[in-house]
Every structure is written in structure tokens, then in C-alpha cells.
Amino acid sequence: MNDNQLLRYSRQIMLPKIEVDGQQKLLAAKVLIVGAGGLGSPASIYLAAAGIGNITIYDDDVVDLSNLQRQIAHHTPDIGMDKAISSQQTLNKLNPDVNVNAVKQRLAGEQLDVEVEKADVVVDCSDNFATRFAINTACVRHKTPLVSGAAIRFEGQVSVFTPGRDNSPCYNCLYQSDGEELVNCATNGVVAPITGIVGSIQALEAMKLILGIGETLVGKLLLIDGLSMEINSMNLKKNPTCPSCGGMGVT
Amino acid sequence: MSIKVRYFASLKEDLGRSEDILETASLLTVRQIWQCANPQQTLPNPILVAVNKDYADLESLVNDGDEVAFFPPVTGG
Ligand SMILES: [Zn+2]
């Protein structure tokens, strides 16, 4: 690290759980963020500011005026621009140390597999069930840690899955794919800061996984109700008959 | 048997109450608990359920004194 980096990250390096070694781990890390919307914006902004060295962002959407109320990586002059590119510009401006790879595409199929295999941590900021199940399947296949977050209305949920480690459950142990496609922000609405809360928790969990510190939300689902400001958690366990991870050896 | 049933977030708003205390004569599953407490409402699918703060499926049996919590699913991003 050069002098500028030592200064830029000094408040993090000061923490005994991080120090110079930890900051170097962050600078060397590769994080894949799927979705550059309400969750992907705060998650990517915090991860870039914290000095995650390599961030890959996928989103196939274009910035719309109705996004700006919560998708804080995009600004008014960015309307009409690809969200991936708009995010890349915001992150580059925030921290030139970060190598941002932004792709305007819905991440799926073989490309999803390739990206998940390359990543140290995957942060799921997508907005639909189909993508969430596909990301989970790829993470289980490559044993890549997954930080899953979701937000709607005044509500948020966050969990962490480390397939193949610590007897972790997976997203499919929690949600089954036979449910109806769920309500989205366009039909149900979402209050701006709840996406910030969830995306920020996702960024913190991703950093803890990279650093190997603290206790992550593995085996727990955090449930946030912003309206009553009630925060609950439930204990999750691996479903031995889970279609995604049920066949994996118990460790 | 006495079972405490709790509803969270938008589910609480939709149902207009946050909890029920059910007195049941026999051992019931989570699904049957919902039906007893909400005979007019079909069980949303998907839904998240915890029994005594542990994730549970709809066929899990609920024992005397247990607390059953229903949470709306969230997938938005
Ligand atoms: Zn599973």
C-alpha cells in the first residue's frame, strides 16, 4: 500500500480486527455484485469505499427516473444510461483504487458459472426469484460464499450461505422454487432507506467473509421491519433433501 | 394445548393483528395452525415460518407452548 492508501483506509486499518493485513486482503478480493439497483447501489458504494480491489457488477437495466428515489449509485444526469456503466462511473469517482468491471447483461447460464467461480464472495442484489435460484445453484456448485439480501415495502431480509462449509444451508433450503413469482418494487413500492440498510448489511457481511472475522449470518435469516423497527432472526438449517445442496456431504 | 401465533411486517398489516393465542385439542401442523387462526385466508405461498425461532416447514408439528411466527417473503432488490 502507498501513503495515500494508508491514509484513505486509516480508519479501517486502525481496527485490530482489520489492520494492514486485513486491508490488503480487501484490496486483493474479488466480489461479484448481481444487480445495480436498490441493494446493489449501497452495497457497491460501501464495498468500493472500503477498498475491495475488484468489483464486478452485472445489470441489464437502464436508469429510469423512478429508480433515483433509492438507487443511490445513479444520479439525475444518468437517466437513460446503462445501470452497470452508471455504477462504474460512480465507483471510479469514489475510489480509483478499485478495478470495476461492469457488464450490461442479465447474468445467467454459463457466464453466471464463470463469474461465480472467479469470485471470492457473491452479493445477490437481484430483484427476482429466478435469478436468486440460479445464483444460489452456481454458488453451491462452486462453493462460493453468497450474501443474499432482499427488500420490499418497509421490509428487508439478509442471510449468508457458505456452501460446503460449516454445514451451511443454501437459499433453496430457505425458499422453495414452487412458490409464485413474488411482488416486486414496481407493484408494491419500497421505502428508500430500507434498501440502504439491507445493502449496507450485505456489504459488511461480504467484508467479514473476506477478512474471516466475526460471526456472519450463516445459519440465520435476519428479518427487518422498518415500520415497527423490529429486527428478528430465525435459525436456519441445511435441508437434507434440498434440491440444490441436499446431495453435498455433511461436514 | 396453547399455541402463540405471531404475524410480522406486512402480514401483520394485512391481517390487522400481530398475534393470536390458539387453544387446540390435538397436535397440529404449522399449516393447520394457520387454518385454525385464519379460516378466511388461504396460507400465502411462499411464506416463511419459524417455530420457537427455528425455521420450520408447513408440515412441522407444533407442540404445547410453542410460538409460531409467520413472516412475508421478500425478494425485491
Ligand atoms: Zn439447500
Side-chain angles (χ1 to χ4, degrees):
Chain A
M1 262 184 283
N2 58 38
D3 285 354
N4 265 331
Q5 288 177 314
L6 287 168
L7 188 57
R8 180 185 281 268
Y9 307 117
S10 58
R11 301 303 188 270
Q12 234 162 233
I13 292 171
M14 205 181 272
L15 296 167
K17 294 255 186 246
I18 299 184
E19 299 187 320
V20 170
D21 272 8
Q23 189 60 51
Q24 269 160 345
K25 279 187 199 166
L26 296 174
L27 285 165
K30 299 186 203 81
V31 173
L32 170 64
I33 300 173
V34 186
L39 303 175
S41 289
S44 62
I45 286 172
Y46 271 117
L47 290 171
I52 301 300
N54 304 279
I55 295 178
T56 298
I57 303 180
Y58 273 78
D59 199 304
D60 66 344
D61 208 3
V62 168
V63 178
D64 181 82
L65 180 58
S66 66
N67 300 146
L68 301 184
Q69 156 261 6
R70 66 195 179 283
Q71 302 186 10
I72 56 171
H74 317 301
H75 304 142
T76 307
D78 303 330
I79 293 170
M81 190 187 290
D82 296 340
K83 285 187 186 178
I85 303 305
S86 163
S87 292
Q88 185 175 40
Q89 289 180 355
T90 300
L91 303 186
N92 283 342
K93 199 166 150 193
L94 174 60
N95 189 350
D97 286 350
V98 181
N99 165 32
V100 182
N101 174 30
V103 188
K104 190 213 172 172
Q105 199 173 305
R106 195 181 184 93
L107 185 55
E110 199 177 321
Q111 195 154 11
L112 171 61
D113 242 31
V114 169
E115 292 291 358
V116 165
E117 191 173 14
K118 275 197 288 188
D120 298 315
V121 177
V122 176
V123 183
D124 186 352
C125 299
S126 69
D127 62 357
N128 67 88
F129 243 164
T131 303
R132 289 176 184 280
F133 284 118
I135 291 169
N136 179 64
T137 303
C139 286
V140 168
R141 183 177 303 130
H142 297 289
K143 299 190 167 72
T144 307
L146 171 62
V147 181
S148 179
I152 194 104
R153 299 175 290 253
F154 293 87
E155 298 155 40
Q157 294 181 359
V158 196
S159 191
V160 172
F161 306 105
T162 53
R165 264 165 51 192
D166 310 321
N167 211 20
S168 171
C170 80
Y171 185 76
N172 200 179
C173 294
L174 170 61
Y175 282 111
Q176 282 71 49
S177 48
D178 61 354
E180 297 153 35
E181 181 52 56
L182 289 169
V183 292
N184 60 34
C185 295
T187 56
N188 265 254
V190 59
V191 70
I194 195 72
T195 55
I197 292 167
V198 171
S200 302
I201 293 175
Q202 288 181 276
L204 179 53
E205 292 296 281
M207 289 174 66
K208 284 158 62 186
L209 287 165
I210 293 161
L211 294 165
I213 59 170
E215 291 91 46
T216 64
L217 287 168
V218 173
K220 274 197 166 68
L221 175 68
L222 192 68
L223 304 126
I224 303 161
D225 178 2
L227 201 53
S228 61
M229 209 42 97
E230 219 179 337
I231 301 182
N232 285 281
S233 69
M234 69 166 82
N235 302 311
L236 305 177
K237 60 177 197 294
K238 187 172 154 79
N239 171 8
T241 61
C242 170
S244 296
C245 75
M248 284 178 89
V250 176
T251 52
Chain B
M1 296 202 304
S2 179
I3 312 285
K4 188 176 194 178
V5 187
R6 302 186 69 194
Y7 310 102
F8 289 90
S10 54
L11 205 53
K12 175 176 76 181
E13 308 291 320
D14 293 347
L15 295 171
R17 62 193 198 282
S18 61
E19 63 177 64
D20 291 315
I21 305 291
L22 279 190
E23 299 297 336
T24 64
S26 60
L27 204 59
L28 298 179
T29 64
V30 165
R31 189 191 298 279
Q32 291 166 327
I33 292 283
W34 174 277
Q35 283 158 355
C36 273
N38 302 282
Q40 310 299 327
Q41 267 98 7
T42 53
L43 181 64
N45 175 32
I47 189 151
L48 290 172
V49 188
V51 176
N52 302 331
K53 298 197 184 284
D54 289 333
Y55 179 88
D57 64 41
L58 298 177
E59 312 317 321
S60 303
L61 287 170
V62 181
N63 292 300
D64 188 24
D66 281 354
E67 181 181 291
V68 182
F70 290 96
F71 295 89
V74 179
T75 61

